[in-house]
Amino acid sequence: MGTGNVAKNLFDTFMGIKDVEVVQVIGRNKTALRAFEKVGNTSSDFADILDADIFIIAVSDDAIGKVSKFLRNKKGLIVHTSGSVSMDVLSNCKSYGVFYPLQTFSKDGKVDMMSVPLCLEAHDPADLDFLKQLAGKITENVYKIDSEQREALHLAAVFVNNFTNHLFYIGQQICHDKALAFDILYPLIHKTVDKLVRSAPYDAQTGPARRGDSETIEKHLEQLENSEFKEVYSTLNESIRKLYDTGKDKNLQHS
Amino acid sequence: MGTGNVAKNLFDTFMGIKDVEVVQVIGRNKTALRAFEKVGNTSSDFADILDADIFIIAVSDDAIGKVSKFLRNKKGLIVHTSGSVSMDVLSNCKSYGVFYPLQTFSKDGKVDMMSVPLCLEAHDPADLDFLKQLAGKITENVYKIDSEQREALHLAAVFVNNFTNHLFYIGQQICHDKALAFDILYPLIHKTVDKLVRSAPYDAQTGPARRGDSETIEKHLEQLENSEFKEVYSTLNESIRKLYDTGKDKNLQHS
């Protein structure tokens, strides 16, 4: 169910797995459905759902409940793929769970699902086993994650993915304003990420806020002409400063 | 001049290059000096500087001016290695410039200097040629960058490195609070960075703020118990929201 980025990536992945038969793809958007035509059956009518062992609802968060109503009487396992919606939204179905790929799916291309962690949850232990089997055909990164944990993961993902990308945007704009190519910063960006394997982020922190170098901070704030960027700078700076000043959460540094 | 992380990384690199002779290492900190003993001459006395073709001042920003006073009458080229200090701090020297490695050097280990962009500046064109030659022995990533550009780079580096690392810290804490291993998020973090090569950050942006998904944003703010994290969330969220709402800077999206 669904024709968006998650649906398309799961579709392409399952179509490449011998043991898995994609029975049908359903989506309201007829144009988008065309990308799924190599499967035997596509339909834009949710009243027209064929039987299957599992029904994967890969639609926008607020449509999951609506779509699930069409599946209420199905015998198979009903799962959604959302990071932030509780499993209970499907509790009117007979068997239900969650099949959440923790990755950013945008229109810019195919994602290698082998490297994507699959976070699974099911109301019934037997259903969880079934989900594990299915997920195991795609990747070794399979995790049993309950709804509360999944919501936390989704929130953490906003920080490490969405917000990080926005910081990259700001960095690029700062470079652009001085006729600098942003790719000068790529090695530094890669290093920032590579460090994660060796050091906890708490220990890896460097920079003027960590050092308490208020002279550099003042200079940076003067340099920043964009008031939004100034605001982002001040807020993150302050958050770092407080963290190392107070020693708060220091006991978690290696966790 | 200097015994910190930048000095140590440059030292180790130059010691491995046949054509380059490290004449002397000078630093106040006698304990730190020990790590440099495989060079013929170390000294903690800045009045005791031997002659050389180039003098590299790799000390903290606020000490550069002070150290440069000991080099005023030297014939060789005097450079500092700082991202945020103007070249002019050395203008009392005969020949001067900047040799800025754009990387984060922390105590956690050796940096492969081959992948580090070296940003060069010199008052005299012949000195710049000399710096280029020296830098070219270390890496192919050599850039001529003036002081204003270097300051911008340093500021951009704070966003893409220091602040990004802090976001990783927050992500890790959110995971920790729900007994989740942070490494579930590594594939997503890697994807965030890998995208840079294919898409401008402006185009790659995803998430609730980009979508204008205020329901998820509300939920996230409720989830965040730490008031600092809440503040970071709100500020970055707002910055993204405004960027895509107003369409401001859209003409720069591919730059």
Side-chain angles (χ1 to χ4, degrees):
Chain A
M1 264 52 61
T3 54
N5 298 322
V6 175
K8 188 63 171 60
N9 272 284
L10 286 176
F11 175 77
D12 289 338
T13 303
F14 284 132
M15 288 298 278
I17 299 174
K18 258 190 185 173
D19 309 353
V20 177
E21 186 200 349
V22 182
V23 176
Q24 188 186 32
V25 176
I26 308 232
R28 272 183 316 181
N29 185 331
K30 284 181 187 175
T31 316
L33 258 182
R34 273 189 217 136
F36 299 81
E37 272 175 355
K38 59 180 168 172
V39 70
N41 191 306
T42 63
S43 171
S44 60
D45 183 357
F46 279 89
D48 192 33
I49 302 176
L50 298 176
D51 286 331
D53 296 320
I54 182 166
F55 301 84
I56 302 179
I57 304 176
V59 300
S60 62
D61 288 358
D62 50 0
I64 294 171
K66 233 179 298 169
V67 167
S68 76
K69 284 182 189 151
F70 294 100
L71 295 161
R72 223 177 262 182
N73 299 313
K74 292 290 180 188
K75 272 186 195 158
L77 176 59
I78 324 290
V79 294
H80 73 63
T81 57
S82 165
S84 56
V85 173
S86 163
M87 178 172 74
D88 297 336
V89 70
L90 302 175
S91 61
N92 52 4
C93 300
K94 285 172 185 160
S95 307
Y96 56 97
V98 178
F99 191 89
Y100 169 50
L102 178 54
Q103 190 51 281
T104 171
F105 297 95
S106 57
K107 279 157 211 144
D108 77 333
K110 218 172 147 172
V111 169
D112 177 14
M113 289 288 295
M114 262 189 42
S115 67
V116 175
L118 288 174
C119 304
L120 311 179
E121 185 180 9
H123 184 64
D124 187 278
D127 290 336
L128 186 66
D129 283 343
F130 178 75
L131 282 180
K132 276 182 185 165
Q133 267 185 51
L134 185 66
K137 290 181 195 298
I138 299 177
T139 176
E140 286 177 6
N141 299 324
V142 177
Y143 299 87
K144 181 184 174 292
I145 300 281
D146 68 31
S147 286
E148 202 185 331
Q149 286 177 315
R150 188 157 34 77
E151 280 180 18
L153 263 185
H154 188 254
L155 175 58
V158 168
F159 280 90
V160 304
N161 169 248
N162 301 157
F163 291 167
T164 293
N165 184 73
H166 187 58
L167 295 181
F168 294 164
Y169 168 78
I170 295 175
Q172 185 207 35
Q173 293 302 103
I174 292 168
C175 287
H176 179 84
D177 288 348
K178 301 290 175 201
L180 288 161
F182 185 50
D183 55 12
I184 303 184
L185 287 166
Y186 286 2
L188 180 63
I189 290 171
H190 281 289
K191 183 77 194 300
T192 311
V193 171
D194 293 346
K195 266 185 175 179
L196 286 176
V197 181
R198 285 196 315 280
S199 318
Y202 184 93
D203 299 320
Q205 190 65 53
T206 56
R210 167 79 195 254
R211 289 194 304 274
D213 177 353
S214 48
E215 204 177 316
T216 300
I217 292 166
E218 278 308 309
K219 217 157 84 177
H220 281 165
L221 285 168
E222 272 170 42
Q223 269 173 268
L224 285 166
E225 283 156 26
N226 182 312
S227 64
E228 289 305 320
F229 297 175
K230 232 190 243 285
E231 185 69 25
V232 170
Y233 186 96
S234 298
T235 302
L236 282 163
N237 222 53
E238 194 54 16
S239 179
I240 295 170
R241 202 192 56 71
K242 279 190 189 161
L243 179 61
Y244 292 92
D245 250 24
T246 60
K248 192 174 66 178
D249 288 336
K250 257 186 184 155
N251 56 326
L252 298 177
Q253 67 186 270
H254 290 291
S255 59
Chain B
M1 264 52 64
T3 54
N5 298 323
V6 175
K8 188 63 170 64
N9 273 284
L10 286 176
F11 175 77
D12 289 336
T13 304
F14 283 133
M15 289 298 278
I17 300 173
K18 258 193 187 173
D19 310 354
V20 177
E21 186 200 348
V22 182
V23 176
Q24 187 185 32
V25 176
I26 307 234
R28 272 182 315 180
N29 185 332
K30 284 181 187 176
T31 316
L33 259 182
R34 274 190 214 135
F36 298 82
E37 272 176 353
K38 58 178 167 173
V39 70
N41 191 308
T42 62
S43 172
S44 60
D45 183 358
F46 279 90
D48 191 32
I49 302 177
L50 298 176
D51 285 333
D53 296 321
I54 182 165
F55 301 83
I56 302 181
I57 305 176
V59 300
S60 63
D61 287 1
D62 50 1
I64 294 171
K66 232 178 299 167
V67 167
S68 75
K69 284 181 189 151
F70 295 99
L71 296 160
R72 224 178 259 182
N73 298 314
K74 292 290 179 187
K75 272 184 192 158
L77 176 59
I78 323 289
V79 295
H80 74 63
T81 57
S82 165
S84 55
V85 173
S86 164
M87 179 173 71
D88 296 336
V89 71
L90 303 174
S91 61
N92 50 4
C93 301
K94 285 172 184 160
S95 307
Y96 56 97
V98 178
F99 191 88
Y100 169 50
L102 177 54
Q103 189 52 277
T104 171
F105 296 96
S106 57
K107 280 156 213 146
D108 76 334
K110 219 172 146 174
V111 169
D112 177 14
M113 289 290 295
M114 263 191 40
S115 67
V116 175
L118 288 174
C119 305
L120 309 179
E121 185 180 9
H123 184 61
D124 186 278
D127 291 336
L128 186 67
D129 283 342
F130 178 75
L131 282 181
K132 276 183 186 163
Q133 266 184 51
L134 184 66
K137 291 182 195 295
I138 300 177
T139 175
E140 287 178 5
N141 297 325
V142 177
Y143 299 87
K144 181 184 173 295
I145 300 280
D146 67 31
S147 285
E148 202 185 332
Q149 286 178 315
R150 189 157 32 80
E151 280 180 17
L153 263 184
H154 188 255
L155 175 58
V158 168
F159 280 91
V160 305
N161 168 246
N162 301 157
F163 290 168
T164 292
N165 184 73
H166 187 58
L167 294 182
F168 293 163
Y169 169 77
I170 295 176
Q172 186 208 33
Q173 292 302 103
I174 293 168
C175 287
H176 179 84
D177 287 348
K178 300 290 175 199
L180 288 160
F182 185 50
D183 55 10
I184 303 185
L185 286 166
Y186 287 0
L188 181 63
I189 289 172
H190 281 288
K191 183 78 192 300
T192 310
V193 170
D194 293 346
K195 265 186 175 179
L196 286 177
V197 181
R198 286 195 315 279
S199 319
Y202 184 93
D203 299 320
Q205 189 65 54
T206 56
R210 167 78 194 255
R211 289 194 307 273
D213 178 352
S214 47
E215 204 177 316
T216 300
I217 292 166
E218 278 308 309
K219 217 156 82 178
H220 282 165
L221 285 169
E222 272 169 43
Q223 268 174 268
L224 285 164
E225 282 156 27
N226 181 313
S227 63
E228 290 304 320
F229 298 176
K230 232 190 243 285
E231 186 68 28
V232 170
Y233 186 97
S234 298
T235 302
L236 282 163
N237 221 52
E238 194 56 16
S239 179
I240 296 171
R241 202 192 56 70
K242 279 190 188 160
L243 179 61
Y244 292 92
D245 249 24
T246 61
K248 192 175 65 176
D249 289 335
K250 255 186 184 155
N251 56 325
L252 298 178
Q253 66 185 271
H254 290 293
S255 60

